[in-house]
Amino acid sequence: RSMDAHLRVRTAEGARTPALHIKRKLKKLHDRMRFEFSTDIPESMRNEDYRVNDHTVELPGFTKTKLAWTSHDNVDEYYYDGQLGWIYSPNRCLFRCFSPHATQVSVVLYYDAEGDHGRTVVPMQPIPEGCWKADVHEDLRGRYYKLLAESPDKRLFPGVEVIDPYSTCNTSHTGRGLIFGNNKTYITDSPKIAPHESIIYELHIRDATIDHHSGVSCKGKFLGLTERNTKLIPNEENAHVAPDGALSTGLDHIIEMGPTVVQILPWQDFDNDEHSEQYRWGYMPVHFNSPDGWYATNTYNESRVTELKMMIDAFHKAGIKVVMDVVYNHTAEDSNEFNLEARFSFNGLAPRYYYRTCGSNPVSFSGHNTCAWKAMDEPRCGHCYSNGSGCGNEFRSEAPMARKFLIDSLLYWVREYKVDGFRFDLMGLIDRDSLTIAAQKLHDIDPNILVYGEPWTGGPTPIAVTDKGSQRGRGFGVFNNTLRDSLRGSPFGIEECYLMDGGRLDELKKGILGSIHDFTDSPTETINYIECHDNRTLYDHFCEYRDLRNDDIQFYESDLVRMHKLGAVVVFTSQGMPFMQMGQEMCRTKNGVENSYESPDEINKIHWNWKIQRYDVVSYYRGLIALRKAHPEVFSMANAQSIRDRILFFEDMGLSVPDRCVAYRIMGAPLTEEQAALQAKLNELPFGATPDPPLADDSPVLEALKWRTIIVILNATPVNQEFRLPALADGMPETWFPVVNEHSAGPQPCGEPIMYGFVTVPGRSAMVLRNATVLEKHLAIEMERLEFLSDP
């Protein structure tokens, strides 16, 4: 009791505070008695700014000890829910960061992007949950900064200044963060487009405009995709065929193609030299909240912020949503911790915390040892980094503060830049719970935000992979490589595929139905594609398959183009979200390069001369997109039940289909009362009569009646095939209009009406038919009679 009476807490100023609620531990440790105690701190002072470390504990016979915020032996017990990074106002700037094992953290301020001019070290104070804070009472706008975490453990804290993981504008990935204040660049609000109506168009910022003939001024930059009225510049390759050199390029071409979404390859600060012409895709990220300066006109100020916002604004003004390609699965930090030049941010503040190691993930989900040096029953070395990315490390998304960073970053891009969605690279490495939580928080802001990614990894990982099927009902989608491979074959070898061989019909049919009988709960969970930036382009893939086949089947250039168009029809008429790569509409080639992530511009750029050379294919793709946009009720159903109720393959209707072909019927959306009334009125019209009052050709009610029944036919054989078409209820042939054939595609008829119950589809092509209205049937019959009478 006398010892308890002498236990005191002393403030930095020397004031004494009596300890309250002292609890004596009965167990002795090295002949020392352990105590737990609390002291009376006014409620008004109980916040993160309370300087706990300014207090000491004194007890006769014991070493004087400083108080500290609660620490955790298990690092995953730390969680801080406040705002990290810098918070600017003209009179002060707050800094917060997470560094649970450092003994001191400082903000290092500079006047310039390079050099030591004005270098000032501002010590940060510890706050709860392993975080640190500094409050600088001056206007820091235009100043640069880094963070310095220190500790006696020089292996983990070697004294390297690093960029704040929450920095939002960096001079380079090895440079400094810029405190730029509040950037007010205007961004037009996001277009209101439902997820199931998405048509995704992938592009790389540099590829889109860097060609000398693009007519774009700011080639390869954010601003290049804000320029309007850019035209293909006539040159020796196109002057004799260009229609007055008036073909659109850049942003105007994208608008002309008609996608509702652009998915843009990574623009987050990545491992590159921003002043070099050395090409990079951007899949080695370093800092996730700063745009990369390679695409900006100035790398030392906030141009990268302003100009990215201007690019997003340009797309939004054109009615196009913007999806970021994000790479949160790994970073460019080196798993070799002795390589201090590659200690960029996370490992400079919280070493090993943000990455999966044998210490954080000692046993994999599959039951395997993750440590290269220790047996299963031994303590882990903690130095072995998991490498499911194939790039040296894996981001530990399941860790509380790593999950917070991931979600904070996603929300930042939505709130600050009005980004409309995220495509996750190697999404298989992001744990399912984090993705589910992130999707929910994003959809709380805007239910139309898109979240999807690659449901695979780049190698073995200790976690349960977020693969196809694991996304069911969680609010995010996945790329459908099953449909891709059924159409074009695997990227990794020669195998049977539909477009070249007419095989894999079961996989193809499942993909047509939005994979609801395979791995999705909803068609919005599948991204349907046959080409993206990865692997060979579709055209190059066909060439590779053709050259490596060991049979005697011949594929000529015309065959490759026909298969290209046939594949496009499958993607744009299947249920799910269609996806294409920029240039695919021009039969884009990378000269056979399979992985062009660091190939030069000549390989990666859009050669705008292609638009002339492949103008028929460009027009075909544009027509397919227009068809899908005009009739989302047919080609973009929102839920699985609609697909089950309204789509039937011919075989299920008792109609035979030639080998290696696919044919199915889509029923239009249920009629409204107004549409049903008009249908009944038209059915009662005598032959040759017109309704009173007359109906305009573009009447929305009449238009709906033209799309009551749709037929899609795919012929992968090299020869013509005949198909029997569904008949009317009384057994009489229906009248159909083609809207897609081997040459043309679009929402308007592209051929003569089909009236006798059969149709012939040329080899390696597709046909899409819609029913004729009563008035159209009458007119078709009348025109046929007149043609018969006039035929000599």
Side-chain angles (χ1 to χ4, degrees):
R1 288 184 178 274
S2 62
M3 198 175 279
D4 293 354
H6 288 89
L7 181 63
R8 291 287 184 272
V9 178
R10 190 184 297 276
T11 68
E13 292 76 23
R16 299 169 115 196
T17 303
L20 308 176
H21 313 298
I22 299 172
K23 179 180 179 181
R24 189 191 304 263
K25 293 283 188 178
L26 299 179
K27 184 178 179 181
K28 289 187 176 181
L29 295 176
H30 303 292
D31 299 322
R32 293 188 179 185
M33 190 74 68
R34 295 184 61 198
F35 292 87
E36 289 182 1
F37 67 92
S38 63
T39 188
D40 190 14
I41 300 173
E43 186 173 350
S44 61
M45 299 174 63
R46 296 176 193 170
N47 56 55
E48 68 181 28
D49 293 322
Y50 186 71
R51 299 174 69 92
V52 171
N53 56 315
D54 284 351
H55 294 65
T56 55
V57 180
E58 297 178 359
L59 185 65
F62 288 80
T63 302
K64 186 188 302 184
T65 303
K66 280 194 171 186
L67 286 183
W69 292 107
T70 301
S71 62
H72 303 292
D73 293 335
N74 177 3
V75 72
D76 286 346
E77 292 182 22
Y78 287 104
Y79 184 75
Y80 179 78
D81 63 0
Q83 182 175 345
L84 299 176
W86 55 263
I87 303 173
Y88 170 83
S89 66
N91 299 320
R92 65 190 296 204
C93 193
L94 294 175
F95 299 85
R96 294 192 189 93
C97 69
F98 175 64
S99 186
H101 293 141
T103 55
Q104 180 58 57
V105 182
S106 303
V107 178
V108 185
L109 296 169
Y110 296 89
Y111 281 115
D112 301 319
E114 298 174 344
D116 288 338
H117 178 53
R119 185 177 188 272
T120 304
V121 178
V122 180
M124 304 180 81
Q125 295 298 318
I127 60 176
E129 299 302 329
C131 290
W132 298 76
K133 179 178 181 179
D135 188 353
V136 180
H137 288 262
E138 60 180 286
D139 189 350
L140 295 183
R141 178 177 169 81
R143 297 281 289 277
Y144 301 87
Y145 81 107
K146 298 187 86 167
L147 298 176
L148 174 62
E150 299 174 277
S151 162
D153 187 341
K154 298 305 177 185
R155 166 74 185 268
L156 295 181
F157 295 94
V160 177
E161 293 181 20
V162 297
I163 294 179
D164 181 359
Y166 279 81
S167 173
T168 53
C169 182
N170 302 330
T171 58
S172 73
H173 74 280
T174 57
R176 293 166 181 168
L178 171 65
I179 304 163
F180 58 85
N182 302 307
N183 185 286
K184 298 297 185 180
T185 303
Y186 179 78
I187 305 174
T188 300
D189 288 342
S190 300
K192 301 302 180 185
I193 300 168
H196 67 277
E197 296 185 9
S198 298
I199 299 171
I200 305 169
Y201 190 83
E202 182 190 41
L203 63 92
H204 183 277
I205 293 166
R206 185 177 176 92
D207 293 356
T209 61
I210 199 67
D211 183 27
H212 291 304
H213 307 306
S214 69
V216 173
S217 298
C218 289
K219 292 179 174 63
K221 303 297 184 182
F222 292 127
L223 292 181
L225 284 168
T226 69
E227 297 180 32
R228 300 301 305 269
N229 301 313
T230 59
K231 306 295 181 183
L232 175 62
I233 297 175
N235 59 82
E236 65 280 1
E237 294 183 46
N238 68 37
H240 64 292
V241 292
D244 301 322
L247 291 181
S248 64
T249 62
L251 176 59
D252 277 9
H253 170 79
I254 298 169
I255 295 170
E256 176 187 295
M257 289 303 299
T260 62
V261 179
V262 289
Q263 175 191 300
I264 302 178
L265 266 70
W267 71 56
Q268 291 166 309
D269 195 10
F270 55 90
D271 184 3
N272 68 330
D273 179 352
E274 295 184 353
H275 302 100
S276 168
E277 292 297 299
Q278 177 64 44
Y279 187 93
R280 288 289 188 275
W281 270 349
Y283 288 96
M284 283 298 284
V286 185
H287 308 291
F288 292 95
N289 294 337
S290 171
D292 195 89
W294 198 42
Y295 303 120
T297 57
N298 186 310
T299 61
Y300 296 120
N301 58 23
E302 62 183 295
S303 293
R304 65 188 69 206
V305 174
T306 299
E307 293 168 8
L308 173 56
K309 289 183 175 183
M310 292 171 67
M311 184 191 76
I312 295 172
D313 177 64
F315 279 115
H316 282 183
K317 283 178 178 174
I320 300 173
K321 297 168 72 170
V322 177
V323 164
M324 288 179 66
D325 190 340
V326 292
V327 195
Y328 290 103
N329 65 82
H330 74 278
T331 80
E333 285 197 298
D334 197 342
S335 58
N336 174 12
E337 295 173 351
F338 294 103
N339 179 10
L340 302 187
E341 291 183 357
R343 190 174 290 219
F344 300 123
S345 61
F346 290 128
N347 264 358
L349 296 175
R352 302 176 188 163
Y353 177 87
Y354 287 96
Y355 301 105
R356 295 182 184 120
T357 67
C358 62
S360 60
N361 299 77
V363 180
S364 72
F365 179 79
S366 58
H368 292 92
N369 187 356
T370 60
C371 186
W373 305 102
K374 300 292 184 177
M376 288 283 280
D377 59 348
E378 294 180 312
R380 300 300 190 250
C381 74
H383 304 165
C384 298
Y385 282 68
S386 299
N387 188 23
S389 67
C391 298
N393 58 55
E394 296 178 29
F395 187 74
R396 193 164 69 102
S397 58
E398 65 275 17
M401 290 300 287
R403 177 178 291 170
K404 171 183 168 60
F405 175 83
L406 169 66
I407 294 172
D408 285 350
S409 181
L410 295 171
L411 296 179
Y412 171 75
W413 287 107
V414 169
R415 289 168 175 158
E416 184 68 20
Y417 289 84
K418 297 186 181 180
V419 163
D420 305 296
F422 302 91
R423 175 265 189 197
F424 282 80
D425 180 71
L426 297 186
M427 190 175 69
L429 293 175
I430 308 298
D431 72 285
R432 300 168 189 177
D433 288 344
S434 290
L435 283 166
T436 304
I437 296 168
Q440 182 59 59
K441 288 183 177 294
L442 291 168
H443 292 152
D444 286 344
I445 296 173
D446 181 354
N448 294 323
I449 287 176
L450 300 175
V451 182
Y452 59 89
E454 296 178 314
W456 50 76
T457 71
T461 176
I463 70 164
V465 174
T466 301
D467 53 7
K468 281 183 303 186
S470 63
Q471 88 295 329
R472 287 179 181 268
R474 290 178 175 264
F476 58 90
V478 295
F479 279 90
N480 192 342
N481 61 326
T482 303
L483 177 61
R484 177 201 65 187
D485 292 353
S486 74
L487 287 170
R488 60 178 273 174
S490 167
F492 309 112
I494 302 300
E495 61 185 29
E496 183 183 49
C497 62
Y498 182 72
L499 294 177
M500 299 195 84
D501 308 296
R504 303 177 75 159
L505 294 181
D506 288 343
E507 292 171 295
L508 174 59
K509 288 180 176 180
K510 288 178 181 178
I512 287 170
L513 296 177
S515 298
I516 61 171
H517 301 301
D518 190 0
F519 62 84
T520 71
D521 280 351
S522 162
T524 56
E525 292 179 359
T526 174
I527 310 299
N528 298 331
Y529 72 114
I530 47 174
E531 176 176 324
C532 67
H533 70 275
D534 273 326
N535 310 120
R536 292 182 178 87
T537 68
L538 183 59
Y539 180 84
D540 287 347
H541 190 76
F542 285 153
C543 293
E544 177 81 0
Y545 262 39
R546 177 190 60 187
D547 296 342
L548 295 180
R549 292 177 72 105
N550 55 14
D551 53 34
D552 57 0
I553 299 176
Q554 296 294 313
F555 292 92
Y556 300 99
E557 177 69 16
S558 60
D559 294 313
L560 304 189
V561 174
R562 293 177 73 85
M563 292 187 298
H564 215 288
K565 290 180 176 180
L566 176 57
V569 172
V570 175
V571 168
F572 286 106
T573 58
S574 294
Q575 303 302 314
M577 295 194 287
F579 173 105
M580 65 177 287
Q581 178 184 203
M582 187 177 196
Q584 183 177 327
E585 69 273 25
M586 308 173 201
C587 295
R588 182 176 185 172
T589 177
K590 296 183 180 180
N591 297 336
V593 176
E594 193 271 339
N595 185 3
S596 65
Y597 74 101
E598 60 178 2
S599 297
D601 288 328
E602 189 61 28
I603 297 296
N604 280 298
K605 71 181 179 181
I606 299 298
H607 294 253
W608 285 104
N609 285 327
W610 293 338
K611 187 170 181 179
I612 292 175
Q613 297 162 7
R614 300 290 191 184
Y615 197 73
D616 62 323
V617 186
V618 173
S619 298
Y620 200 80
Y621 269 81
R622 186 170 63 240
L624 288 171
I625 292 172
L627 173 64
R628 188 177 181 99
K629 288 175 72 174
H631 295 285
E633 78 284 0
V634 173
F635 303 110
S636 305
M637 296 184 198
N639 57 70
Q641 192 58 50
S642 294
I643 296 171
R644 295 188 187 99
D645 292 344
R646 294 165 50 196
I647 300 181
L648 275 179
F649 290 99
F650 273 25
E651 296 91 338
D652 299 323
M653 301 166 59
L655 296 172
S656 62
V657 177
D659 290 343
R660 296 189 286 165
C661 295
V662 174
Y664 60 98
R665 181 192 71 188
I666 309 174
M667 300 303 296
L671 293 179
T672 65
E673 289 186 12
E674 184 181 12
Q675 292 164 354
L678 177 60
Q679 180 73 72
K681 181 177 180 180
L682 294 178
N683 288 339
E684 295 172 359
L685 283 176
F687 183 83
T690 57
D692 184 20
L695 289 169
D697 288 340
D698 59 353
S699 163
V701 180
L702 182 61
E703 185 67 18
L705 300 184
K706 297 176 182 178
W707 296 86
R708 295 294 303 120
T709 309
I710 300 88
I711 302 297
V712 180
I713 301 173
L714 311 173
N715 176 13
T717 74
V719 298
N720 295 353
Q721 298 288 353
E722 187 176 73
F723 295 80
R724 183 161 66 92
L725 300 172
L728 296 171
D730 59 7
M732 295 297 291
E734 174 68 279
T735 300
W736 306 92
F737 280 99
V739 292
V740 175
N741 59 25
E742 61 181 318
H743 301 298
S744 302
Q748 300 304 318
C750 58
E752 297 298 319
I754 298 163
M755 304 172 61
Y756 296 105
F758 291 89
V759 67
T760 298
V761 178
R764 297 195 174 109
S765 76
M767 187 170 286
V768 179
L769 311 172
R770 70 156 176 86
N771 67 275
T773 65
V774 171
L775 296 178
E776 289 175 323
K777 291 177 187 177
H778 291 178
L779 180 60
I781 294 170
E782 185 65 25
M783 294 300 294
E784 186 179 55
R785 287 177 178 175
L786 292 172
E787 184 177 345
F788 176 78
L789 292 173
S790 63
D791 190 347

